[in-house]
Amino acid sequence: MNITFTVADRTGQTQTLELPDDINLSLMEVLKASDYPIAATCGGMALCATCHVEVLKGADQLLAPADAELDMLDTLPNATPQSRLACQIRLNERLQDAAFALMDTTLS
Amino acid sequence: MIQTDLCIIGAGPVGLFAVFEAGLLKMRCHLIDALPQIGGQLSEIYPKKPIYDIPGFPEVNAQTLVDNLRKQIDPFKPTFTLGERVDGLTRNDDGSFVVTTSEGTQVHCKVVVIAAGLGSFEPRKPELQNLEHFEGKGVVYMVKDPETFRKRRLVIAGGGDSALDWAIHLSSIAERVTLIHRNESFRGAPDSAEKVFKLAHEGKIDLLLSANLQAVNGNGVVKSVSVVDKDKSVKEIETDYLIPLFGLSPKLGPIAHWGLNLDKSAIEVNTVDYATNVEGVFAIGDINTYPGKLKLILCGFHEAALMAQRAFEFVYPSQKRSFKYTTVNGVNAF
């Protein structure tokens, strides 16, 4: 099965991504592979926040963030109640029809 | 001016190991790092995480790896400039270089090795209009000398450990400390959070929770900050300083303007000797890119070894390089 969701970059330009649901990747890895400007300094340990995204739609479908992610989000100047770290979101059917916006400015 | 053979920018694992490979070839090294300690990401971001892909170590704690690297390079007596970011690179007529830091430190060297990972760690900045205009004029991102703030009014923004710790510490020095945090509670160390609430209760810290910075105001210097609370009402707080403490994030910084070929934020190198397009300047570790690049510490170690072989030709142009195994020759300290 394929899943589709949308991603808005820092300029607001939105693109729909369609991916098979059986590839074992995080949303951060998918965004990097799709050439979005994400540094992913820590490689996916919820320790650098360079994959900071805002969930514009579908937040309730996602698994709740763990403590490590909440701790990191708490330190960010521009975090909102919809903020997540893409490295902590697994690519699966929960992402169907969700919408994300990139929030980190490291590489933009 | 500091004199050395190789000036290594970045004291992470790859920069540290480059000292070893250079040392075997009798080349001296000076390392510069923006962080106040060596170890790069390993010490700053994940000191307690185990690493599983260092050859010969089934599992090694990140900080332990840094400590071991330090021990391994000690015989070659590297020197360090820590807590300063590199700014300028100039080339002398004889082909040597002068690297200048943010604090004006100058390093004269024959070879420049950029081992800067994803760049230098710089403070995360809140997205406020005109924030840059007030930097150094009331907006500061780190507390270097607490005495600067004696009898002054401060606004600290942030909810992590450093925001809590500085709010506590500075509350006994400053005239008034206001701590602004986005949430209702703190996720930092519970002891510190408790102390902040206690100081707030005693009237020693003004605590604004569920509040966000909206603007920084002033005429040349900071006069006040505007804060919006959960009811969307805006409050203006008069202050001498705004100290945003939102952790650190890596930036390529001034290196981006050194005339090096870049691909996104990575420096292009060839895989023969990890040289950049600028003669005498090499890039190793996570900062470089080439076809098939893998951002692994072990790949950076390999790159350091090959870089050193080529760097030898810049440091000792009239000598012939002879390759020797440490098992045969040992490690001959300086």
Side-chain angles (χ1 to χ4, degrees):
Chain A
M1 193 190 113
N2 279 2
I3 37 177
T4 56
F5 54 91
T6 66
V7 177
D9 66 16
R10 292 280 301 179
T11 66
Q13 202 170 357
T14 302
Q15 185 186 191
T16 302
L17 297 183
E18 180 169 357
L19 295 138
D21 67 350
D22 59 350
I23 47 174
N24 186 24
L25 293 176
S26 70
L27 178 62
M28 175 273 282
E29 291 164 314
V30 169
L31 294 173
K32 262 188 84 121
S34 307
D35 278 335
Y36 281 103
I38 288 180
T41 312
C42 76
M45 295 186 282
L47 290 172
C48 72
T50 52
C51 66
H52 179 196
V53 296
E54 203 170 29
V55 187
L56 305 175
K57 198 180 133 204
D60 301 345
Q61 303 161 211
L62 305 175
L63 289 176
D67 275 347
E69 181 181 352
L70 289 172
D71 287 351
M72 177 46 67
L73 288 171
D74 198 49
T75 67
L76 301 180
N78 59 343
T80 72
Q82 285 76 43
S83 285
R84 293 293 306 261
L85 298 179
C87 70
Q88 301 302 301
I89 299 173
R90 303 306 301 178
L91 187 75
N92 56 31
E93 72 284 351
R94 290 174 183 274
L95 271 65
Q96 181 63 37
D97 297 327
F100 301 94
L102 304 192
M103 293 290 280
D104 188 73
T105 53
T106 307
L107 294 182
S108 55
Chain B
M1 194 179 310
I2 296 161
Q3 302 287 341
T4 191
D5 295 324
L6 274 60
C7 178
I8 301 173
I9 298 162
V14 173
L16 293 174
F17 189 67
V19 175
F20 182 82
E21 289 297 328
L24 292 179
L25 295 169
K26 301 270 174 259
M27 299 185 289
R28 288 183 184 272
C29 297
H30 183 83
L31 295 97
I32 302 174
D33 202 293
L35 292 172
Q37 76 278 339
I38 65 165
Q41 292 174 45
L42 278 66
S43 301
E44 181 64 27
I45 304 189
Y46 54 94
K48 294 191 180 102
K49 288 268 179 183
I51 307 174
Y52 300 99
D53 59 354
I54 304 299
F57 291 89
E59 178 181 338
V60 60
N61 180 289
Q63 187 57 47
T64 307
L65 179 63
V66 171
D67 295 343
N68 283 343
L69 283 162
R70 179 67 226 248
K71 213 179 292 174
Q72 192 170 20
I73 66 175
D74 259 354
F76 301 120
K77 303 198 168 44
T79 48
F80 296 89
T81 297
L82 298 175
E84 298 182 20
R85 191 193 66 188
V86 292
D87 256 351
L89 174 70
T90 52
R91 187 191 280 274
N92 298 326
D93 292 341
D94 64 358
S96 64
F97 296 95
V98 175
V99 179
T100 310
T101 73
S102 51
E103 310 293 313
T105 303
Q106 291 194 310
V107 181
H108 180 233
C109 59
K110 296 175 181 123
V111 169
V112 174
V113 180
I114 304 170
L118 274 154
S120 60
F121 282 87
E122 292 181 27
R124 282 199 195 92
K125 300 177 180 180
E127 292 175 25
L128 299 177
Q129 241 186 355
N130 298 327
L131 184 68
E132 274 78 16
H133 296 176
F134 293 106
E135 287 174 357
K137 292 167 186 160
V139 171
V140 295
Y141 300 103
M142 55 182 73
V143 179
K144 283 186 177 155
D145 177 13
E147 283 302 313
T148 316
F149 306 107
R150 185 165 291 280
K151 305 269 178 241
R152 308 305 295 274
R153 297 165 300 174
L154 327 176
V155 171
I156 297 174
D161 284 334
S162 82
L164 294 175
D165 291 347
W166 281 120
I168 294 164
H169 185 74
L170 293 171
S171 67
S172 62
I173 294 174
E175 182 188 310
R176 202 187 70 212
V177 171
T178 305
L179 178 62
I180 299 172
H181 180 46
R182 190 176 52 244
N183 294 327
E184 268 306 306
S185 58
F186 294 100
R187 301 190 59 85
D191 285 0
S192 308
E194 208 172 295
K195 206 157 181 190
V196 163
F197 282 117
K198 187 165 165 279
L199 288 167
H201 186 72
E202 293 167 357
K204 290 175 180 152
I205 290 178
D206 290 334
L207 193 53
L208 288 178
L209 298 174
S210 295
N212 281 296
L213 286 174
Q214 191 195 47
V216 48
N217 320 305
N219 191 2
V221 295
V222 173
K223 287 261 185 338
S224 70
V225 295
S226 305
V227 176
V228 52
D229 67 15
K230 60 184 163 193
D231 306 323
K232 303 273 178 243
S233 67
V234 179
K235 188 174 170 179
E236 194 171 332
I237 303 166
E238 287 187 16
T239 189
D240 302 307
Y241 287 96
L242 168 63
I243 313 176
L245 295 173
F246 295 110
L248 301 171
S249 151
K251 290 249 193 291
L252 188 55
I255 292 173
H257 311 294
W258 285 4
L260 303 165
N261 289 343
L262 300 178
D263 177 12
K264 291 176 189 154
S265 283
I267 301 169
E268 291 180 353
V269 292
N270 71 61
T271 49
V272 175
D273 51 19
Y274 302 95
T276 68
N277 60 305
V278 176
E279 172 117 326
V281 178
F282 297 79
I284 56 177
D286 283 1
I287 195 90
N288 77 13
T289 187
Y290 50 83
K293 169 70 181 179
L294 275 184
K295 284 186 185 177
L296 290 177
I297 294 170
L298 73 98
C299 296
F301 288 166
H302 160 85
E303 294 163 17
L306 268 60
M307 172 281 297
Q309 298 293 314
R310 172 90 174 108
F312 184 86
E313 296 172 21
F314 289 88
V315 177
Y316 298 111
S318 58
Q319 288 185 32
K320 198 168 156 26
R321 182 180 70 218
S322 67
F323 178 77
K324 297 191 179 83
Y325 289 109
T326 54
T327 41
V328 177
N329 263 49
V331 172
N332 298 311
F334 290 168

